[in-house]
């Protein structure tokens, strides 16, 4: 019996004359009355395997259902290919048809499809070359992330998806409840009573695993989270999702300089992994979607990241405005920089990635360590070409008094984070961490323009299909 091999393994074979079995979905079938050529793909590679079919052996009627989208199993002999574009092909000896795809209704025919249309058939789009490439890269980036941290002694820590706290203080969270929404119990003031709810209190889907990650770092030393997070932000932009994945390392005894170096090492490791292990998929995406993709990936690898204080960044931007550079959003000390400002620093002024530090405390979260100037905190954002901010992090405030005072100033109820504050009461220590949106990383590595095209089933306002 012929040995079953995935197509990416078959394409590496040189043992011509051996029998193999391959399975996959038909991309195309062409030919004449003597011979047909089937382009077969099983998702293991961007490249198709050519199956050569002798019409006399199989008969024209047998091959009629073998159309684009059909799923087949082929036993055949591995031979050197006579055509251009591949080195091996299969001479079919036996074909089993698993499933057919009526050309009149199968939506992925051999023609160009817009990315917008493919989002409407997200259950089928992984079968296309584009999304096969994207999702193979997505897998590889996940493997790179786990490998990077494991090699450096980090522990993978699972933080809760259901939470009673709001890490960001933004309030834009999806509520979790088992209550009857048509008959909510309310008190005399009209507020909802959660006594009978599953958890006995208001709970939501998490916006971040950071706070719980800090608890683990102050026990295990080095940890990272990698899981789904949720934002109920009504944003229909190419950069926003309601459900996305976050990587959040937290490190005991790391100061801000250590944090910045880890972030640079981490992002370079992931990009090098992509170039080394996903070369064919990246080449395809570069050819069809972003001609500058490989150049931009190497740009990040080849450059030492600039460390730049926020105040100095504002000065550079103000000088650019004075010389006639126009920005859509205003520049002043205390402003939260827009992507256009971040990209100017990276792409035009420094021509390399930038890590911006020491932001005004008013535009950053309560948990960031306060600097001695009383105005800034030890925040850090890693800024990339095309993307702008790709990583955000900080040294965390370890001083109990400063942390509780800042939380009160920002209206973060201590009753919701008492457990977080406790870590500053019992054996507090300097520590730092950062967050990387997985889909933001994938946007950069794949060159895709819309974040909905780097996650299998995007969740956006008014869209929760599949």
């Amino acid at each position: 019996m012929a040995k079953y091999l995935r197509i990416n393994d078959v394409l590496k074979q040189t043992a011509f004359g051996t029998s193999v079995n391959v399975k996959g979905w038909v991309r195309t079938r062409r030919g004449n009355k003597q011979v047909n050529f089937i382009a077969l793909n099983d998702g293991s590679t961007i490249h198709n395997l050519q199956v050569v079919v002798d019409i006399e052996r199989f008969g024209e009627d047998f091959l009629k259902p073998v159309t684009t989208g059909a799923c087949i199993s082929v036993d055949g002999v591995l031979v050197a290919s006579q055509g251009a574009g591949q080195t091996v092909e299969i001479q079919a000896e036996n074909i089993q048809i698993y499933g057919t795809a009526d050309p009149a209704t199968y939506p992925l025919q051999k023609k160009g499809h817009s990315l917008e249309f493919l989002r409407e058939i997200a259950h089928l789009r992984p079968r296309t070359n584009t999304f096969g490439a994207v999702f193979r890269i997505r897998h590889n980036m996940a493997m790179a992330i786990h490998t990077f941290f494991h090699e450096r002694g980090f522990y993978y820590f699972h933080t809760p998806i259901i939470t009673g706290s709001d890490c960001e203080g933004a309030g834009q969270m999806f509520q979790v409840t088992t209550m009857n929404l048509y008959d909510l119990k309310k008190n005399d003031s009209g507020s909802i009573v959660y006594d009978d709810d599953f958890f006995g209190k208001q709970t939501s889907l998490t916006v971040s695993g950071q706070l719980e990650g800090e608890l683990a770092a102050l026990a295990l030393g080095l940890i990272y989270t990698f899981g789904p997070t949720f934002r109920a932000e009504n944003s229909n932009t190419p950069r926003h999702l309601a459900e996305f994945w976050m990587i959040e390392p937290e490190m005991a005894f790391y100061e801000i300089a250590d944090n910045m170096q880890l972030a640079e090492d981490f992002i370079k490791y992931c990009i090098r992994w992509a170039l080394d292990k996903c070369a064919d998929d990246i080449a395809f995406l570069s050819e069809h979607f972003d001609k500058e993709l490989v150049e931009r990936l190497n740009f990040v690898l080849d450059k030492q990241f600039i460390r730049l204080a926020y105040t100095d960044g504002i000065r550079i931007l103000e000088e650019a405005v004075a010389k006639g550079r126009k920005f859509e959003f205003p520049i002043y000390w205390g402003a939260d920089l827009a992507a256009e400002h971040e990209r100017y620093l990276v792409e035009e002024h420094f021509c390399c990635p930038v890590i911006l530090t020491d932001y005004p405390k008013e535009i950053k979260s309560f948990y960031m360590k306060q600097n001695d100037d009383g105005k800034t905190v030890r925040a850090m954002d890693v800024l990339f070409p095309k993307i702008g901010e790709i990583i955000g992090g900080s040294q965390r405030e370890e001083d109990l008094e400063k942390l509780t005072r800042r939380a009160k100033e920002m209206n973060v109820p201590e009753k919701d984070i008492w457990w977080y504050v406790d870590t500053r009461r019992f054996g507090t220590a300097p520590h730092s961490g950062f967050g990387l949106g997985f889909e933001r990383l994938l946007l950069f590595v794949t060159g895709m323009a819309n974040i909905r095209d780097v996650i299998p089933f995007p969740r956006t306002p008014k869209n929760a299909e599949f």
Side-chain angles (χ1 to χ4, degrees):
M1 185 175 181
K3 182 181 179 181
Y4 167 61
L5 293 175
R6 299 204 74 190
I7 287 174
N8 63 329
D9 293 322
V10 173
L11 294 175
K12 301 171 187 174
Q13 297 289 316
T14 56
F16 301 129
T18 58
S19 295
V20 297
N21 171 259
V22 292
K23 308 174 194 292
W25 291 268
V26 175
R27 290 293 171 83
T28 61
R29 178 169 66 86
R30 61 183 177 82
N32 51 46
K33 292 189 176 183
Q34 284 75 46
V35 63
N36 271 201
F37 302 94
I38 297 172
L40 197 66
N41 193 286
D42 63 1
S44 62
T45 172
I46 194 71
H47 302 296
N48 299 326
L49 175 66
Q50 181 162 280
V51 178
V52 182
V53 183
D54 186 315
I55 298 299
E56 185 176 350
R57 180 183 188 122
F58 288 91
E60 290 185 23
D61 289 342
F62 176 82
L63 289 173
K64 282 182 180 177
V66 183
T67 58
T68 297
C71 184
I72 63 174
S73 171
V74 180
D75 293 308
V77 178
L78 188 73
V79 298
S81 178
Q82 303 303 310
Q86 69 271 330
T87 58
V88 300
E89 60 190 25
I90 299 291
Q91 293 278 359
E93 294 183 333
N94 183 61
I95 297 175
Q96 181 181 358
I97 301 173
Y98 287 141
T100 60
D102 182 1
T105 57
Y106 184 59
L108 294 177
Q109 294 301 316
K110 187 177 173 9
K111 62 178 181 178
H113 299 288
S114 72
L115 296 177
E116 292 79 5
F117 168 72
L118 292 175
R119 284 178 216 135
E120 297 173 4
I121 54 167
H123 60 307
L124 294 174
R125 69 177 182 168
R127 297 189 190 183
T128 65
N129 284 332
T130 297
F131 287 95
V134 167
F135 296 142
R136 281 188 295 271
I137 292 172
R138 186 180 174 104
H139 158 78
N140 268 280
M141 287 299 89
M143 292 302 298
I145 288 160
H146 287 300
T147 305
F148 174 86
F149 287 116
H150 180 70
E151 288 177 347
R152 285 156 182 76
F154 282 69
Y155 298 107
Y156 180 28
F157 193 76
H158 297 107
T159 53
I161 290 175
I162 299 174
T163 180
S165 66
D166 178 358
C167 175
E168 299 295 327
Q172 295 173 317
M173 304 177 77
F174 290 102
Q175 194 169 154
V176 175
T177 183
T178 57
M179 295 190 298
N180 180 357
L181 299 182
Y182 297 100
D183 187 21
L184 292 174
K185 182 180 177 182
K186 298 183 180 181
N187 60 23
D188 294 339
S189 64
S191 298
I192 296 172
V193 177
Y194 288 91
D195 295 350
D196 297 331
D197 205 359
F198 188 90
F199 294 106
K201 61 182 292 187
Q202 183 175 352
T203 56
S204 304
L205 297 177
T206 186
V207 298
S208 169
Q210 178 202 315
L211 301 189
E212 293 88 351
E214 285 187 51
L215 311 185
L218 292 172
L220 299 173
L222 303 173
I223 70 96
Y224 71 102
T225 76
F226 186 0
T229 52
F230 308 85
R231 303 280 171 94
E233 183 179 351
N234 189 19
S235 295
N236 254 316
T237 78
R239 291 287 184 272
H240 288 87
L241 290 167
E243 175 186 276
F244 55 99
W245 289 68
M246 285 282 287
I247 302 97
E248 297 175 293
E250 292 290 332
M251 298 76 67
F253 315 119
Y254 271 48
E255 307 252 347
I256 189 66
D258 307 309
N259 202 23
M260 289 189 284
Q261 189 60 52
L262 183 74
E264 179 174 348
D265 292 345
F266 170 57
I267 203 77
K268 285 183 173 179
Y269 184 95
C270 291
I271 291 171
R272 169 51 59 199
W273 184 293
L275 286 169
D276 287 346
K277 300 186 185 297
C278 307
D280 288 347
D281 289 324
I282 286 176
F284 173 85
L285 294 173
S286 177
E287 179 183 353
H288 291 87
F289 293 97
D290 187 343
K291 304 294 185 187
E292 299 174 350
L293 176 58
V294 175
E295 179 184 349
R296 195 163 54 250
L297 294 175
N298 282 307
F299 169 90
V300 171
L301 284 183
D302 295 340
K303 303 286 185 178
Q304 188 73 30
F305 293 11
I306 290 286
R307 274 70 166 159
L308 179 72
Y310 169 91
T311 299
D312 293 332
I314 291 295
R315 176 182 51 78
I316 291 169
L317 291 164
E318 287 177 334
E319 289 174 356
V321 171
K323 293 176 181 177
R325 184 66 159 82
K326 295 190 182 300
F327 294 109
E328 181 181 354
F329 297 98
I331 295 293
Y332 56 91
W333 198 96
D336 199 356
L337 298 188
E340 61 174 342
H341 306 136
E342 296 167 341
R343 291 183 61 182
Y344 174 83
L345 293 172
V346 171
E347 298 171 12
E348 299 183 47
H349 186 82
F350 288 106
C351 297
C352 70
V354 172
I355 306 180
L356 207 59
T357 65
D358 299 314
Y359 281 79
K361 67 179 183 180
E362 281 76 20
I363 61 174
K364 291 297 180 180
S365 298
F366 76 95
Y367 50 72
M368 296 188 178
K369 184 172 179 61
Q370 298 166 46
N371 286 319
D372 294 337
D373 61 14
K375 299 189 301 180
T376 61
V377 292
R378 292 187 193 175
M380 52 164 260
D381 287 341
V382 180
L383 311 181
F384 263 25
K386 193 176 181 182
I387 296 287
E389 179 198 335
I390 194 167
I391 286 177
S394 72
Q395 185 170 340
R396 315 311 191 188
E397 182 57 75
E398 78 271 17
D399 184 277
L400 173 62
E401 182 182 346
K402 290 181 179 178
L403 179 69
T404 53
R405 183 172 65 245
R406 189 67 185 136
K408 188 174 296 184
E409 290 172 359
M410 299 187 71
N411 299 314
V412 179
E414 189 168 340
K415 67 179 179 61
D416 292 339
I417 56 166
W418 64 268
W419 42 271
Y420 179 75
V421 175
D422 253 8
T423 58
R424 275 63 170 180
R425 291 193 176 97
F426 308 129
T428 192
H431 60 290
S432 299
F434 61 80
L436 167 67
F438 189 39
E439 284 73 27
R440 287 283 180 96
L441 171 64
L442 289 166
L443 277 180
F444 186 77
V445 171
T446 63
M448 302 300 283
N450 194 310
I451 202 165
R452 302 174 195 195
D453 296 327
V454 295
I455 191 168
F457 305 105
R459 299 292 181 248
T460 55
K462 302 294 188 292
N463 179 35
E465 293 297 324
F466 313 106

